[in-house]
C-alpha cells in the first residue's frame, strides 16, 4: 500500500488511556502487595504490542505477558527490556532463542518441561519456568493428577529455575461464580505440592476481572489484559477509558429519492428523500458485514444509521436532510464519551465480546495512529 497517501480509515490508540488504565490496575495490585503483568498478546489485543508494552511499563507494569515465545521475541526486538513471560507454543517450537533473550516460559507437562530444559542446555543458561496447573478451565495447564510428577521433575532439573506456579480463571467475569473459589482451592493445593517439594514459587492467577474484583486472588502478580485497553469485563462500574477509536471520513454525499434502495441486495429503501454519505470503510477494514442494518456511526455531532449492507470497501450513512461536508469525520466506534458507538455495543449486537472486536482491528488497510504519548 502506498504509505504516503492519507489513510481511508484509521485506528487511533490513546496511549494516555492505556497508561491511565494500567495505572489503576497496578494500584489495585500494589494494595495487595502484587506486581502487574500487562498482557499484550495478539499484538496487544489489536492495539500494537510494542507501543502498549512501553506505555504499560511506563505506567507501572513490571512484567509483560505474551502468548507465544515468538510474540515475546518481537517485543525484545522492539527494545522492550521488562520481564517477559510467554505461555503457549506449539510442540515444534525451539525455546532456545527465548531463553537466550531472557523470556520466562510456561510448562504444562513433563514433555514441555523437558523441551525447555533441552533448549536451556543449548542456550547455555538456565530457563526460568512457570509451572501451570489446570484448576478447572480445562485448557492448557497440567491436570492435578500429573502435577506432583511435573513439580518433582522441575525441582530436580538443573536446567530450569522454577519461578512461579500459575493458573487461569474460567468465570472471573461473573463475580460470585462458584467456580472461582473452587479454582482458588485447587490452586492452593497445587502450590502446597510445590512447597512440599522444596520450591518457593511466586503465584499468579488473576486476569483483569479478578484484578478488579478479587484482591484475595492477587497473590504475587496479576495479569490484566482487557481492562488495560479500557474495556470493562465485570458488571461493576470502573474508571476505565477505552483506548481504541475506529474512524474514517465522508468521501461523497448525494441525494436520493424516496423509494430508491441502497447497497447490495437492496435491503434498505429510502422512505423519504434523503442524503447519503459514503464512507470508505467496509468488512475488509474490520466492520463486520453482519452489522448491516444494525449499526450507526457518529457523524456531524450525532448518530446516524448505516443504510443497507456493509460492503467490502464502503458503507453508506443515512443523513436525512443534513448535508455533511466531504471530509467530515465519521467515528465507527470509540470510547463513547461523545455519544459515538463503542466496541462493547458492536459486541453486544453481534453476540460476542469486545475482546474480539478490538483484537480484530489489526488490518493492513487501516492505519494505526498513536495519541496521548506525553499525557499522564
Ligand atoms: C489473555 C490472558 C490474560 C488476560 O485476560 P483478560 O481477561 O484480558 O484480562 C491473562 N492470563 C492469561 C493466561 C491469558 O491468556
Amino acid at each position: 500500500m502506498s504509505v504516503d497517501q492519507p489513510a481511508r480509515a484509521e485506528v487511533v490508540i490513546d496511549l494516555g488511556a492505556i497508561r491511565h488504565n494500567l495505572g489503576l490496575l497496578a494500584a489495585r495490585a500494589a494494595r495487595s502487595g502484587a506486581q502487574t503483568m500487562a498482557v499484550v498478546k495478539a499484538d496487544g489485543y489489536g492495539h500494537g504490542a510494542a507501543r502498549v508494552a512501553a506505555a504499560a511499563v511506563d505506567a507501572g507494569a513490571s512484567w509483560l505477558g505474551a502468548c507465544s515465545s515468538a510474540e515475546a521475541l518481537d517485543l525484545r526486538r522492539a527494545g522492550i527490556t521488562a520481564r517477559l513471560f510467554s505461555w503457549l507454543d506449539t510442540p515444534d517450537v525451539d525455546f532456545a532463542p527465548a531463553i537466550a533473550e531472557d523470556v520466562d516460559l510456561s510448562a504444562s507437562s513433563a514433555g514441555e518441561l523437558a523441551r525447555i530444559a533441552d533448549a536451556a542446555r543449548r542456550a547455555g543458561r538456565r530457563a526460568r519456568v512457570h509451572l501451570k496447573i489446570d484448576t478447572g478451565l480445562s485448557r492448557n495447564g497440567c491436570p492435578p493428577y500429573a502435577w506432583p510428577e511435573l513439580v518433582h521433575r522441575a525441582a530436580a532439573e538443573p536446567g530450569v529455575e522454577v519461578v512461579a506456579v500459575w493458573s487461569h480463571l474460567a468465570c472471573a467475569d461473573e463475580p460470585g461464580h462458584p467456580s472461582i473459589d473452587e479454582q482458588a482451592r485447587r490452586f492452593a493445593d497445587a502450590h502446597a505440592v510445590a512447597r512440599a517439594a522444596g520450591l518457593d514459587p511466586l503465584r499468579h492467577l488473576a486476569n483483569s476481572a479478578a484484578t478488579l474484583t478479587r484482591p484475595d486472588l492477587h497473590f504475587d502478580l496479576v495479569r490484566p489484559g482487557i481492562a488495560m485497553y479500557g474495556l470493562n469485563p465485570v458488571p461493576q462500574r470502573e474508571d476505565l477509558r477505552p483506548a481504541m477509536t475506529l474512524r474514517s471520513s465522508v468521501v461523497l454525499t448525494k441525494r436520493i429519492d424516496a423509494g430508491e434502495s441502497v447497497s447490495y441486495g437492496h435491503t434498505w429503501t429510502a422512505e423519504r428523500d434523503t442524503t447519503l454519505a459514503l464512507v470508505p470503510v467496509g468488512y475488509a477494514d474490520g466492520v463486520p458485514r453482519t452489522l448491516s442494518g444494525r449499526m450507526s456511526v457518529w457523524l456531524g455531532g450525532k448518530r446516524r444509521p448505516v443504510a443497507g449492507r456493509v460492503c467490502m470497501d464502503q458503507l453508506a450513512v443515512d443523513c436525512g436532510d443534513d448535508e455533511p461536508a466531504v471530509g467530515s469525520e465519521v467515528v465507527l466506534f470509540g470510547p463513547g464519551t461523545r455519544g459515538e458507538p463503542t466496541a462493547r455495543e458492536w459486541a453486544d449486537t453481534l453476540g460476542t465480546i469486545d475482546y474480539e472486536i478490538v483484537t480484530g482491528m489489526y488490518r493492513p488497510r487501516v492505519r494505526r495512529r498513536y495519541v496521548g504519548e506525553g499525557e499522564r
Side-chain angles (χ1 to χ4, degrees):
M1 206 160 319
S2 171
V3 288
D4 33 22
Q5 294 293 345
R8 300 154 52 93
E10 63 177 11
V11 150
V12 181
I13 307 298
D14 182 354
L15 293 172
I18 299 271
R19 271 196 301 274
H20 165 84
N21 300 328
L22 194 283
L24 179 150
L25 294 159
R28 298 276 179 96
R31 246 184 265 160
S32 324
Q35 296 197 310
T36 300
M37 175 188 294
V39 176
V40 295
K41 64 192 179 189
D43 203 23
Y45 292 39
H47 296 65
R51 297 296 290 269
V52 170
V57 169
D58 194 36
S62 43
W63 289 72
L64 296 165
C67 177
S68 62
S69 60
E71 286 185 349
L73 288 169
D74 280 345
L75 289 167
R76 283 283 183 258
R77 264 175 230 125
I80 301 289
T81 55
R83 197 82 182 259
L84 257 173
F85 175 53
S86 76
W87 57 76
L88 186 59
D89 272 297
T90 53
D92 53 348
V93 161
D94 180 5
F95 289 116
I99 295 166
E101 292 289 340
D102 220 18
V103 176
D104 286 42
L105 297 168
S106 173
S108 284
S109 67
E112 195 166 28
L113 179 75
R115 288 196 306 109
I116 292 171
D118 171 64
R121 274 183 285 280
R122 283 181 290 107
R125 62 192 289 180
R126 282 179 96 196
R128 285 203 297 259
V129 174
H130 302 219
L131 300 177
K132 185 167 195 187
I133 175 75
D134 180 359
T135 53
L137 182 58
S138 306
R139 226 171 52 175
N140 77 343
C142 179
Y145 62 81
W147 181 250
E149 190 197 338
L150 176 61
V151 166
H152 286 101
R153 284 190 188 220
E157 173 53 68
V160 311
E161 173 194 346
V162 177
V163 171
V165 167
W166 75 294
S167 191
H168 194 38
L169 295 167
C171 307
D173 56 349
E174 295 174 55
H177 194 285
S179 69
I180 303 169
D181 287 334
E182 178 57 27
Q183 287 197 260
R185 257 191 302 279
R186 295 180 189 180
F187 190 60
D189 290 348
H191 181 243
V193 170
R195 295 278 296 184
L199 299 170
D200 185 20
L202 301 175
R203 284 172 290 171
H204 54 97
L205 176 64
N207 55 5
S208 295
T211 301
L212 292 168
T213 61
R214 292 295 301 259
D216 59 317
L217 303 183
H218 286 178
F219 301 111
D220 300 295
L221 186 61
V222 298
R223 303 188 311 268
I226 197 72
M228 170 175 55
Y229 304 98
L231 304 175
N232 185 355
V234 295
Q236 76 198 37
R237 267 195 60 80
E238 295 286 353
D239 176 28
L240 298 169
R241 302 189 197 150
M244 182 184 284
T245 296
L246 173 63
R247 61 195 289 277
S248 182
S249 57
V250 173
V251 292
L252 178 74
T253 59
K254 65 179 63 167
R255 289 292 289 174
I256 60 167
D257 294 338
E260 289 294 320
S261 297
V262 176
S263 192
Y264 292 127
H266 274 184
T267 57
W268 187 92
T269 300
E271 284 169 7
R272 48 186 163 66
D273 296 358
T274 193
T275 298
L276 292 179
L278 189 68
V279 185
V281 56
Y283 59 78
D285 308 293
V287 184
R289 184 173 174 277
T290 45
L291 282 179
S292 300
R294 301 191 285 166
M295 71 179 287
S296 58
V297 299
W298 184 256
L299 165 53
K302 59 181 190 174
R303 284 193 187 206
R304 302 172 192 277
V306 169
R309 286 198 181 139
V310 173
C311 306
M312 185 183 291
D313 311 309
Q314 49 191 295
L315 52 81
V317 180
D318 178 16
C319 297
D321 288 330
D322 296 338
E323 215 33 84
V326 165
S328 300
E329 178 189 45
V330 176
V331 180
L332 289 107
F333 68 77
T337 44
R338 284 191 285 172
E340 72 277 17
T342 61
R344 178 61 170 271
E345 282 180 53
W346 278 25
D348 288 347
T349 304
L350 293 164
T352 184
I353 52 176
D354 43 19
Y355 293 67
E356 187 179 359
I357 303 300
V358 293
T359 304
M361 281 317 307
Y362 178 61
R363 304 274 166 170
R365 229 165 47 170
V366 179
R367 188 170 302 172
R368 228 187 233 152
R369 184 161 63 84
Y370 291 92
V371 299
E373 204 102 30
E375 280 167 37
R376 283 276 161 188

